[in-house]
């Protein structure tokens, strides 16, 4: 079994090889399937969704973010805090972005809300470098989302959760080494559609 860092390196190399056109197509497809998922779990009613901004060669999520907003949903975006914790800011098309104090990304400006706000959202779209068919997930290595999911799981209040990846980032069962602090996810959102993983079966 490859190590998590080997898997990250492999997936990052693959992603860097994607063209601008491929990224744009992936963003459009992810938005279409992601909106269908949101419509299903919200039963067509305006709700709030937690999501993130895909940067560089990550799966693009801005088309999905805009689509959620245009469909009448509220959107929460994460902000990295000390201790590898996340706070959350409500996003609108007018939201400004500033450089993070803790990560090499831009983050939304606005009132920062504790992660407890995420327990009440309709669903969480979360980043991943890879997932396997068992539902094991690899992030960027910071552990921000594992801490969030651990907190939500401990309170018994985790909303529906879906990891956003490219099709080739979905690996066979057993491909990702699971550790005690890892939190599996039940579904993956890919440009080809939604894949139910072991954690969702």
């Amino acid at each position: 079994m490859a190590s998590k860092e080997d898997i990250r390196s492999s997936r990052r190399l693959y992603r860097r090889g994607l063209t601008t056109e491929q990224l744009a197509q992936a963003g459009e497809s992810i938005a279409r399937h992601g909106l269908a998922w949101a419509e299903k779990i919200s039963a067509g009613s305006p709700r709030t969704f937690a999501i993130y901004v895909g940067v560089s060669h990550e799966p693009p999520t801005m088309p999905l973010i805009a689509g959620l907003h245009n469909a009448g949903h509220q959107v929460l975006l994460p902000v990295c805090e000390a201790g590898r914790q996340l706070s959350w800011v409500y996003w609108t098309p007018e939201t400004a972005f500033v450089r993070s104090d803790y990560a090499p990304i831009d983050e939304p400006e606005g009132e920062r809300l504790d992660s407890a706000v995420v327990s009440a959202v309709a669903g969480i779209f979360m980043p991943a470098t890879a997932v396997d068919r068992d539902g094991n997930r690899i992030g960027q290595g910071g552990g921000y989302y594992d801490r969030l999911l651990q907190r939500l799981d401990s309170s018994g209040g985790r909303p529906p959760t879906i990891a956003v990846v490219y099709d080739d980032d979905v690996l066979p069962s057993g491909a990702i080494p699971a550790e005690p602090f890892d939190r599996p996810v039940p579904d993956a959102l890919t440009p080809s559609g939604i894949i139910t993983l072991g954690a969702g079966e």
Side-chain angles (χ1 to χ4, degrees):
M1 180 185 294
S3 70
K4 286 185 175 180
E5 199 49 52
D6 286 342
I7 295 171
R8 282 193 191 97
S9 296
S10 172
R11 300 324 307 156
R12 287 169 178 162
L13 182 63
Y14 164 80
R15 291 177 171 191
R16 286 197 296 271
L18 296 173
T19 65
T20 301
E21 182 179 359
Q22 287 173 318
L23 290 170
Q25 290 174 346
E28 292 175 6
S29 297
I30 285 168
R32 184 172 67 256
H33 297 302
L35 286 169
W37 184 79
E39 180 76 9
K40 179 181 178 181
I41 64 174
S42 67
S45 300
R47 296 288 303 276
T48 301
F49 287 88
I51 190 171
Y52 68 101
V53 178
V55 297
S56 185
H57 287 83
E58 289 183 324
T61 56
M62 279 308 300
L64 175 54
I65 290 169
L68 290 168
H69 174 79
N70 293 337
H73 301 296
Q74 289 188 297
V75 173
L76 283 168
L77 296 182
V79 175
C80 297
E81 302 286 6
R84 299 186 183 274
Q85 301 292 330
L86 294 173
S87 62
W88 297 84
V89 171
Y90 280 105
W91 174 90
T92 72
E94 291 73 39
T95 298
F97 284 77
V98 295
R99 201 66 174 171
S100 171
D101 291 332
Y102 299 100
I105 55 173
D106 292 333
E107 297 174 326
E109 282 190 311
E111 180 185 1
R112 297 185 182 187
L113 305 172
D114 182 87
S115 275
V117 71
V118 178
S119 64
V121 303
I124 305 170
F125 295 92
M126 61 188 308
T129 303
V131 295
D132 69 14
R133 291 280 180 170
D134 297 323
N136 297 309
R137 167 189 164 272
I138 293 180
Q140 296 290 354
Y144 287 93
Y145 278 87
D146 286 319
R147 287 176 174 83
L148 171 67
L149 294 184
Q150 183 177 33
R151 179 175 175 176
L152 294 172
D153 288 346
S154 296
S155 67
R158 191 208 287 200
T161 305
I162 193 164
V164 185
V165 292
Y166 294 108
D167 296 294
D168 286 356
D169 295 332
V170 180
L171 307 179
S173 293
I176 294 177
E179 299 177 74
F181 58 79
D182 288 331
R183 288 296 183 267
V185 292
D187 296 293
L189 170 58
T190 76
S192 292
I194 295 168
I195 298 173
T196 299
L197 307 172
E201 293 178 349

